[in-house]
Structure formats: C-alpha cells, structure tokens
Amino acid sequence: MFDAVGRNFGFLMGGLWVTFQLSFFALTGGILLGMIVGLARLSKKPWIYYPVTAYVNFLRNIPLILVIFWFYFVMPILVGRSIDPFPSAVISFIIFEATYFGEIFRAGYQTISKDLVNASYATGMTYWKTARYITIPIAFRRMLPSLITQSIVTFQDTSLAFVIGLRELVRRTSIVDNLEVRSIELYGFAALVYLVVCLIGSQISHYFEEKGRKASII
Amino acid sequence: MGLTYEFDWGVLWRYPYGMWLLKGLGLTIAIGMAAWIIALALGILIGTLRITRYRLLRWFGTAYVEVLRNIPLLVQLFFWFYAGPMLFGETLSRKINHISGLNIWVSIIGIGLYTASRVAEHVRAGFASIGRDQYQAVLSTGMTQIQMYRYVIIPYALRLIIPPLTTEFLTVFKNTSIAMTIGVAELTFQSYQIDADTFHGLEATTGAMFIYLILGITVVKFMNIVEKKYKIQGLVGR
C-alpha cells in the first residue's frame, strides 16, 4: 500500500533532513534571541522595554506565513541580490520564534525571587554575572517543559517554509504527489512522520515536567 | 544597498489591488469565524470526553487531541484537500471535487478540527480547576451526568477559560493564512498575488501585516468586553 512512499523514500527523507536542519537553526537562534528578548521585556529602561515590547506584540499578532514572505521580499533589497529560500527562512523563523521564546523566558525569569537576586548582588556579582550564573540557569530548568513544547511547535512551523519553495518534507511530498497521485498514502506518511517526532518530543517534555515536580523546583 | 528598490505604497489602495486586499480580509474573517464555531462546539465536546467516567470515550478524546496537535496544520489541510475526497471512494470523490469553492470548505473544516484539539485542552484545564466538591454538590441535587455538564460544569468552566480562548480566537484568524496553500484567496494570498502582478510584494505584505494587527486588536477588544460581561463574581484578579 505504501509503495509510492517506498519508491521515493530517499527523496522524502532528504526533505525530512532539510526540515531538521531548518528546525535546528530556527531553535538555536530563536532561543538565544528569545533569552535576550525575555530580559529586555523585564528591563526598567524605557528605551529598551518599549521597542522590544512593540516588536513582540506586533509579531505575535501576525501569521508566520506572512512573516516568511516579508523576509523573502526584503532580503534581496538588503543584500542586493536574490537569496535562497533556506537562509531567508532561517532568518524569518529566528525573528518570529524569538518573540514566543522571549515570553516563555520572561515568565521564567519572573518566577525567581527578588531575594535570590539581591543575595547574588550582595556577593558582588554584576547584573550580567547574576543573569549568567543565577537567573538564567534556574529559570531555564523551570522553563524546560514549555521550551520543549514551543520547540515542537517550531518544528511543525518549519513546514510553512513550503510557501517560498524550500524543499523540505511537505514540499517534497507534494512534488512526489504531483507525479504519483497517491495523496492518501503520501500525505498520510508525512503526517505520520511529524506525529512520531512530535510525540517523542512531548514525551521528553513530560519527563522533565515530572522530574521538576519531584525535585519541587517547579 | 546594492539593489535599488523603488517603493510604491500605492499598491495598497490603487485599483484593483486595494479591492483585492479588502476581499482577502473578508474571506479571512469569514473562514476564521466559521472555523471558530466548529472549534468551540467540537472542542467543548472533546474536552468533556476527556474527563468522563467512560474509558473508551476518554481514550478517544486523548487520541483526537494528540493526533491533531502533533501534525502541522499545513499537512492536515493538504491531507483533507487532496486525500480527503479519495477517502469516500471513486464515484463520490469525483462529485466532491466538483463542489465549487471546495478549498474554502476544506479550510473551514480543517482549521476547525485542528483548533478544536487546542480548545479541548483549555476546556479540560477549566474542568480541572473546578473543585471536586462542586461536582458532588451538583450530583447530590439529583441531576444526571449530562445535566451536570450541560447546566453547571460547562458554563462555569467556559467562563474560567475566556483568557486562553481569546488567544485561540486570535490564532484562528492567523491560521487562516495557511489556507492560501490550497488556493484560498484570503488576505495573505492576495498580498502575494499583488507581488506576482506588480513585484511590489514588500509593500503588499507590509500592508497585510497591519491589517492583521488591526484585526487582532479588534478581537482582543471584543473578547475583553465578553470577559467583563461573564466575569465570575468573587474570583481574584480578573
């Protein structure tokens, strides 16, 4: 029954590899930028707080697909030549997902008591040292389940790079379907691949949630 | 700036492009509202299934949520649109494929089914926040299980979960943009069409972004009114 998948298995798995690569860059960049965004959303300096808050609230109201298009249109103007879908997709994902990761980090930072921060200052640590050694590590552990959940969402979101012609899993599935016309098994297969990867991810998230609850750090 | 780019913001209102964007917005709102109705009705049902006493129903609710949540909406829409009609057999699938505006119906149903899985999770969380004694108090008045959910638990839980539902309501409108991949001429599709016609996609997508922003703000304002109206007296902080 799955012979259409079998005949094109290598091609489809190549697409999954592109999906994984895009997810990797989107997550690494999105999480790093998100950490900074989360700190900036708690900043007391208005010239940091207001622009970053505007950036977060703006992007969270806009569909990702439109953001992907927008960067695909704006990048050639910035770099002066046409650009491949992959780097363009990576940049749009980093900028977009950082707003979601940023809100997770903000919530995580806010769970840390003022006493802990003051104690850290009392030992002579600077703001950045406190963030690096105290605030971020503890918040990170508390936020791990939400971070994994958002990572699963990001992994699913990478399918939207389809619209600028990136040959990831869904694009390749649709290319194969145009030749084979076996939609049920081909799209069924793609769905199954996402389902398996995401279920594994949510099990990992669940594990850390339980672990955190047992260690009573949540 | 190697490439010189002449901005032309006129594409946002010049004939016929301004009309395209407005038509796209109309379709975005229509699909979003229709999908939301399906999502609310089905989401409440599935969320309720997940806490009933019957194991088979609970199992079905959990399977529904896990499957729909863990497959990208884009893949789901493709599946319903390309593979969906085939599931009904050859003769019927040919008839289905001749329905005019099939892609619009598919996107309403597809987005509705997907959003229902997310609504179901919020509904379940709402139920979980209602104390056990409340369930027992209702049953002790002689109500049946169904009456308990219909008249007490569901109305109460829905009022509790208005804030997360607001987020989902916003997400529905954002997700309608994915319908463009099966050729639905909603707002994002139209802004991309303007690019194909004029090479001024940057201005068109920027314009579309602000239209989505205004739509989002309107939804939040509306939901704030709803939240105030259905506020439960005596609860903290809302």
Side-chain angles (χ1 to χ4, degrees), chain A residues 13-186:
Chain A
M13 285 300 108
L16 182 61
W17 177 236
V18 176
T19 296
F20 276 131
Q21 282 176 308
L22 181 54
S23 305
F24 173 78
F25 287 117
L27 287 175
T28 316
I31 289 174
L32 287 177
L33 187 57
M35 283 180 185
I36 301 169
V37 168
L39 282 178
R41 293 269 285 135
L42 295 173
S43 172
K44 295 217 163 53
K45 301 186 177 77
W47 54 273
I48 294 178
Y49 175 79
Y50 286 106
V52 174
T53 303
Y55 151 67
V56 170
N57 287 342
F58 184 72
L59 276 191
R60 284 174 68 103
N61 269 300
I62 287 163
L64 174 54
I65 235 174
L66 197 58
V67 178
I68 294 173
F69 274 135
W70 193 82
F71 276 97
Y72 197 53
F73 291 137
V74 87
M75 289 307 286
I77 301 171
L78 290 179
V79 295
R81 59 185 164 77
S82 60
I83 182 168
D84 281 341
F86 190 82
S88 176
V90 167
I91 292 169
S92 25
F93 275 104
I94 291 176
I95 305 233
F96 183 82
E97 302 292 347
T99 62
Y100 286 82
F101 282 114
E103 289 301 275
I104 294 174
F105 278 110
R106 180 175 71 117
Y109 298 149
Q110 277 176 327
T111 65
I112 290 176
S113 75
K114 276 217 154 55
D115 297 343
L116 194 63
V117 178
N118 287 336
S120 156
Y121 285 151
T123 66
M125 283 197 192
T126 60
Y127 172 82
W128 285 109
K129 273 194 176 161
T130 305
R132 163 74 185 77
Y133 294 105
I134 309 288
T135 325
I136 291 178
I138 294 176
F140 192 80
R141 226 181 299 168
R142 285 184 184 159
M143 287 294 99
L144 203 52
S146 322
L147 286 178
I148 298 172
T149 306
Q150 184 60 33
S151 301
I152 297 170
V153 173
T154 306
F155 175 71
Q156 294 187 23
D157 281 348
T158 59
S159 62
L160 296 179
F162 170 94
V163 296
I164 53 170
L166 184 73
R167 291 188 157 201
E168 41 68 71
L169 181 58
V170 184
R171 176 59 88 171
R172 291 199 186 200
T173 307
S174 96
I175 291 171
V176 172
D177 189 42
N178 282 338
L179 298 170
E180 302 261 4
V181 200
R182 305 289 290 275
S183 307
I184 296 180
E185 52 193 90
L186 284 166

Side-chain angles (χ1 to χ4, degrees), chain A residues 60 63 70 73 100 156 159, chain B residues 69-70 74 174 177 195 206:
Chain A
R60 284 174 68 103
W70 193 82
F73 291 137
Y100 286 82
Q156 294 187 23
S159 62
Chain B
R69 250 202 337 192
N70 285 311
L74 175 67
K174 289 191 285 177
S177 64
D195 178 67
T206 308

Side-chain angles (χ1 to χ4, degrees), chain B residues 57-103:
Chain B
L57 293 180
R58 275 208 310 266
W59 181 87
F60 175 80
T62 309
Y64 181 93
V65 170
E66 289 299 322
V67 170
L68 276 272
R69 250 202 337 192
N70 285 311
I71 297 170
L73 179 56
L74 175 67
V75 177
Q76 293 186 31
L77 286 188
F78 278 1
F79 186 85
W80 298 131
F81 187 59
Y82 295 112
M86 290 184 191
L87 294 172
F88 293 96
E90 201 153 325
T91 38
L92 206 55
S93 93
R94 209 164 288 150
K95 271 195 192 126
I96 294 172
N97 278 324
H98 278 107
I99 297 173
S100 71
L102 177 67
N103 52 4

Side-chain angles (χ1 to χ4, degrees), chain B residues 172-194:
Chain B
V172 167
F173 288 111
K174 289 191 285 177
N175 278 342
T176 56
S177 64
I178 299 176
M180 76 162 287
T181 56
I182 53 171
V184 175
E186 45 68 62
L187 184 53
T188 304
F189 181 97
Q190 296 288 16
S191 67
Y192 190 68
Q193 273 314 101
I194 294 176

